[in-house]
Amino acid sequence: MDVEGIAMTRRATRQKNSRPTIADVARHCGLSKGTVSKALNIPAEQCPVREATRERVMQAAKDLGYRPSWLARALAKQKTHTVGLLYARLMPPVVGIYERLIVILAASLQHRGYHLVLVSLADSDEAGQMVLDQRVDGCVVIEEITPGIEAVLREAEVPVALVNLQTDLPGLKVLVDDHGGGRMVTEHLLGLGHRRVVFLDPTEKELAHFSHGQRVAGYEQAMRDAGLGGQARLVKSPVAAFAAETARSAERATGVIVYSHLEAIALMQALWRHGLRVPQDISVATFNDVPVTELTIPPLTTVAVPTREMGHQAGCRLVEEIEGRHEDEDDGEASQTIVLPETLVVRESTAPPPA
Amino acid sequence: MDVEGIAMTRRATRQKNSRPTIADVARHCGLSKGTVSKALNIPAEQCPVREATRERVMQAAKDLGYRPSWLARALAKQKTHTVGLLYARLMPPVVGIYERLIVILAASLQHRGYHLVLVSLADSDEAGQMVLDQRVDGCVVIEEITPGIEAVLREAEVPVALVNLQTDLPGLKVLVDDHGGGRMVTEHLLGLGHRRVVFLDPTEKELAHFSHGQRVAGYEQAMRDAGLGGQARLVKSPVAAFAAETARSAERATGVIVYSHLEAIALMQALWRHGLRVPQDISVATFNDVPVTELTIPPLTTVAVPTREMGHQAGCRLVEEIEGRHEDEDDGEASQTIVLPETLVVRESTAPPPA
DNA sequence: CTGAAAGCGCTTACAG
DNA sequence: CTGAAAGCGCTTACAG
């Protein structure tokens, strides 16, 4: 019995001991939990506890291997120092441009004492709970939003950053100038002397993303500005079909702008199969300056989307928003929109049209 | 004064009211918090509370818009239902193969009621705290581990899944058979009739990853098995230099295996610049079957790394480990290793050597 | 079947 | 400068 008892105690003790609490530290120095808490948390200068005491506490904490429980602290302070990253797809069509954005966002947050937790909107309930059950101090929604979570966010008081998506939800918005990007790349081709420039639509459901409309609008405006408004043409065929058609067409396009960089690469492959050379026979340009676009045959002219800056802005602003919540003078000045510029990266896939 | 007072009260009230607690629900139905808690959480069947009471509680909860506080529950149950994803780089050298892995991992966890929080090891303290301060129930370390966090994990009792990295840390390991992959792709080239097959090393610090050694070993073994052990050759030059050298060499390699898929693509570009055709003049093969490898000119033969399966396995097993912690019979049977096979995807960048 | 109470591990006015 | 106590919002033996 005694042995059993001791074993039980040992086990219980070990379980409890595995994590000394603030009470243990307090007991160890003959102080109260409150004092220990202050000594541990308030910056040395304006700390109300005597220096000697402070040091005693520090030492005890170190000796016991004390680490404050994040959970207990979060509950007491009603703050998780966590933000949720809400995403609807990001899934199969591995987009590529968000990888960097997310890593930068996470780094930006971590630098400020926050962490990022991934929340797929595929299971809509999850996301709602996440946001509502005081599990996150704020959230960022990326690329696409679902009606369900949109309603939740409209209701909740959670600070939110909306990245690269369109919505009438209030909140911080981080956008890019896709219209400008579309115009820029079109003007580049026109400047090289092209007249028959087409815009190749994505075949996947990327079509749904609002950047598509903006890029097309930019393209159309540039065409109009050049007096070629009537010739603007959106192509919806798959790249293979488009390449085949182009190969046998007399009046073929001399320049093509592809919405998706993966499809631009696929297009160059398809053109190659038909014996068409880029850029001698036809110029190709696209969006999203991901690393591989520099390595293709030939290197692609692309419009770069400032993913780092997007991640960085979303991170900074959201934290400001979370921490500055008290300054709210009852007016919703929290609804700020940032539009970041895109830049044209000219490489070898674009050149003057064939004579 | 009265007005002020009311205003203050309203504000305080609103802040409190913004989130009804279990006590509010209890009060609302004239029950105790304990009963409400049981009614809300215990599955209908073996729930000790009377059906009528149960329904009353449910209704009240719905009426008041009650949602349990994740924090309070986590503290009471000592469980966060969160796992940390620890990564050292993943940063600038956008690897590409981890994007899918992470998304799958997150989905797999979310499916089981867990969430994934991103933790960069760049700031080593952060990670340590994360793991130790009962903020996560477990963690997965991916690709590379730092000495700091390795020590922490050795000390801590946190279940851990180690994905695609080498360490003598105990814990669940999810690995891939890079040796087999290296051998497989080499045998493929040898089978096509190649004799002068070289292995092109990465120039970046990817070299540090242990998969490099394994892939090289697989390559060397296949060469030896074919009686070509003396001819195995590791090339350390940048792709541009290698392409230039190859172009002017009489006895050039007819097949090249490139460690990194991005460099394989770059190599094909460099060869193209020198007028060498793939695969007619030289065959190129690589690793990591990311989407773009199918779209290059020509499409790349690659060894596919089962990223989905890796993410899935890591997620499942880790959760099992977390939830089965009690079954521990004091023996460390938790140290399980899973080695997933790689598969060869043959495309058009490999063909018999020139006659 | 229901309730009262202690506990999870901190923080924070409020006294002294 | 320090302590006692209430509070953060739940859960969980233990009684009744």
Side-chain angles (χ1 to χ4, degrees):
Chain A
M1 254 239 243
D2 228 318
V3 178
E4 276 265 47
I6 290 176
M8 296 293 294
T9 306
R10 264 259 290 292
R11 193 164 304 151
T13 304
R14 193 199 296 149
Q15 291 197 349
K16 291 223 135 114
N17 272 1
S18 73
R19 191 170 287 293
T21 73
I22 199 171
D24 295 319
V25 179
R27 200 174 310 125
H28 190 85
C29 353
L31 290 167
S32 74
K33 294 188 302 178
T35 304
V36 171
S37 176
K38 282 164 207 147
L40 252 27
N41 295 315
I42 303 177
E45 295 74 41
Q46 73 252 36
C47 185
V49 337
R50 207 192 329 172
E51 185 54 25
T53 314
R54 214 178 112 79
E55 278 169 6
R56 199 148 49 97
V57 171
M58 294 304 210
Q59 192 55 48
K62 180 166 294 177
D63 291 351
L64 297 179
Y66 169 74
R67 324 204 96 243
S69 158
W70 175 84
L71 228 31
R73 181 178 294 186
L75 181 61
K77 306 190 83 151
Q78 296 288 80
K79 193 144 188 320
T80 60
H81 279 272
T82 303
V83 343
L85 177 71
L86 278 42
Y87 54 93
R89 359 182 234 191
L90 222 59
M91 262 295 236
V94 182
V95 191
I97 84 160
Y98 292 109
E99 185 172 349
R100 168 181 271 118
L101 194 158
I102 293 173
V103 173
I104 298 284
L105 173 61
S108 169
L109 290 173
Q110 189 163 323
H111 182 65
R112 290 168 176 72
Y114 287 75
H115 282 283
L116 192 65
V117 49
L118 266 33
V119 188
S120 163
L121 296 180
D123 177 351
S124 52
D125 287 350
E126 276 295 331
Q129 284 170 222
M130 195 67 164
V131 174
L132 293 174
D133 302 345
Q134 58 180 222
R135 166 140 189 194
V136 294
D137 296 337
C139 66
V140 0
V141 191
I142 202 171
E143 197 194 20
E144 188 183 3
I145 195 165
T146 59
I149 199 65
E150 195 164 4
V152 168
L153 290 178
R154 203 180 296 280
E155 208 64 29
E157 311 245 307
V158 191
V160 50
L162 304 156
V163 177
N164 201 25
L165 65 83
Q166 196 173 40
T167 170
D168 58 345
L169 219 55
L172 171 65
K173 281 159 196 144
V174 179
L175 301 174
V176 289
D177 181 15
D178 279 311
H179 185 279
R183 201 177 54 190
M184 207 179 289
V185 67
T186 310
E187 283 169 353
H188 164 66
L189 287 170
L190 295 175
L192 287 170
H194 292 267
R195 301 291 109 178
R196 291 194 298 277
V197 177
V198 306
F199 191 103
L200 189 56
D201 274 347
T203 53
E204 316 264 337
K205 55 183 166 180
E206 287 177 313
L207 245 180
H209 195 272
F210 79 110
S211 73
H212 175 257
Q214 296 191 198
R215 287 173 178 176
V216 166
Y219 156 72
E220 287 173 336
Q221 176 171 334
M223 292 295 276
R224 265 197 311 277
D225 290 352
L228 297 169
Q231 311 215 23
R233 189 173 141 231
L234 263 53
V235 178
K236 303 211 180 294
S237 354
V239 294
F242 175 72
E245 179 203 316
T246 301
R248 60 170 176 269
S249 160
E251 291 264 307
R252 65 171 162 234
T254 61
V256 42
I257 299 168
V258 190
Y259 176 79
S260 137
H261 68 270
L262 235 34
E263 287 195 5
I265 296 172
L267 173 63
M268 294 210 296
Q269 187 193 67
L271 291 170
W272 165 73
R273 289 200 192 282
H274 287 281
L276 290 175
R277 295 159 308 164
V278 176
Q280 294 87 340
D281 298 319
I282 186 169
S283 285
V284 174
T286 188
F287 297 86
N288 307 338
D289 190 41
V290 295
V292 75
T293 56
E294 190 177 7
L295 306 176
T296 52
I297 298 176
L300 270 165
T301 291
T302 68
V303 173
V305 174
T307 48
R308 318 186 82 92
E309 191 59 17
M310 293 165 81
H312 186 250
Q313 288 292 337
C316 295
R317 309 295 186 126
L318 185 59
V319 170
E320 277 174 15
E321 177 77 12
I322 290 171
E323 307 199 326
R325 218 44 176 167
H326 44 87
E327 297 173 21
D328 264 20
E329 292 287 348
D330 243 273
D331 72 303
E333 48 82 57
S335 229
Q336 185 184 174
T337 297
I338 299 171
V339 179
L340 299 169
E342 302 184 339
T343 53
L344 181 69
V345 180
V346 177
R347 298 206 183 89
E348 300 168 40
S349 66
T350 50
Chain B
M1 252 238 252
D2 229 316
V3 178
E4 276 268 45
I6 290 174
M8 295 294 295
T9 306
R10 266 258 292 290
R11 194 165 302 151
T13 304
R14 192 198 296 151
Q15 292 198 349
K16 292 223 133 118
N17 273 1
S18 73
R19 191 171 287 294
T21 73
I22 199 171
D24 295 319
V25 179
R27 200 174 310 125
H28 190 85
C29 353
L31 290 167
S32 73
K33 295 187 302 177
T35 304
V36 171
S37 176
K38 282 164 207 147
L40 253 27
N41 295 315
I42 302 177
E45 295 74 42
Q46 74 251 38
C47 186
V49 337
R50 206 193 329 171
E51 185 54 24
T53 314
R54 214 177 111 79
E55 277 170 7
R56 199 148 48 96
V57 171
M58 293 305 208
Q59 192 56 47
K62 180 166 295 178
D63 291 350
L64 297 179
Y66 169 73
R67 324 204 96 243
S69 158
W70 175 84
L71 272 176
R73 182 177 293 186
L75 181 61
K77 306 190 83 150
Q78 295 288 79
K79 194 147 186 319
T80 60
H81 278 273
T82 303
V83 343
L85 177 71
L86 278 40
Y87 54 94
R89 353 184 237 193
L90 221 58
M91 262 294 237
V94 182
V95 190
I97 83 161
Y98 293 109
E99 185 171 349
R100 166 180 273 118
L101 194 158
I102 293 174
V103 173
I104 298 285
L105 174 61
S108 168
L109 289 173
Q110 189 163 323
H111 182 66
R112 290 168 175 73
Y114 287 75
H115 282 282
L116 191 65
V117 49
L118 266 32
V119 188
S120 163
L121 297 179
D123 176 352
S124 51
D125 287 351
E126 277 296 329
Q129 284 170 222
M130 195 69 165
V131 174
L132 294 174
D133 301 346
Q134 57 180 223
R135 166 140 192 194
V136 294
D137 296 338
C139 65
V140 2
V141 191
I142 200 171
E143 197 195 20
E144 187 184 2
I145 195 165
T146 59
I149 199 66
E150 194 163 4
V152 168
L153 290 177
R154 202 180 298 278
E155 208 64 28
E157 311 245 307
V158 190
V160 49
L162 303 156
V163 178
N164 201 25
L165 65 84
Q166 196 174 40
T167 170
D168 57 344
L169 219 55
L172 170 65
K173 280 160 196 142
V174 180
L175 300 174
V176 289
D177 181 14
D178 279 311
H179 184 279
R183 199 177 56 190
M184 206 180 288
V185 66
T186 309
E187 283 169 352
H188 163 66
L189 287 170
L190 295 175
L192 287 170
H194 292 268
R195 299 292 109 177
R196 290 194 299 276
V197 177
V198 305
F199 191 102
L200 189 54
D201 274 347
T203 53
E204 315 265 337
K205 54 184 170 181
E206 288 178 312
L207 245 180
H209 195 272
F210 79 109
S211 72
H212 175 258
Q214 296 192 200
R215 287 173 179 174
V216 167
Y219 157 72
E220 287 173 336
Q221 177 171 335
M223 291 295 276
R224 264 198 311 276
D225 289 353
L228 297 169
Q231 311 215 23
R233 190 173 139 230
L234 265 51
V235 179
K236 301 209 181 296
S237 355
V239 293
F242 175 73
E245 179 203 316
T246 301
R248 61 170 175 267
S249 161
E251 293 263 307
R252 64 171 163 233
T254 61
V256 43
I257 299 167
V258 190
Y259 175 79
S260 137
H261 67 270
L262 235 33
E263 287 195 3
I265 296 173
L267 173 63
M268 293 209 297
Q269 187 193 68
L271 291 169
W272 164 73
R273 290 199 191 284
H274 286 280
L276 290 174
R277 295 159 307 163
V278 175
Q280 294 86 342
D281 299 320
I282 185 169
S283 286
V284 175
T286 187
F287 297 86
N288 307 337
D289 190 43
V290 295
V292 75
T293 56
E294 190 176 8
L295 306 176
T296 52
I297 298 175
L300 269 165
T301 292
T302 67
V303 173
V305 174
T307 48
R308 318 187 81 92
E309 190 60 16
M310 293 166 81
H312 186 250
Q313 288 291 338
C316 296
R317 308 294 185 124
L318 185 59
V319 170
E320 277 174 15
E321 177 77 13
I322 290 172
E323 307 199 327
R325 216 49 175 163
H326 44 87
E327 298 174 20
D328 264 21
E329 293 286 349
D330 242 273
D331 73 303
E333 49 82 55
S335 230
Q336 186 185 171
T337 297
I338 299 172
V339 180
L340 269 14
E342 301 184 341
T343 54
L344 182 68
V345 180
V346 177
R347 298 206 183 90
E348 299 168 41
S349 66
T350 49

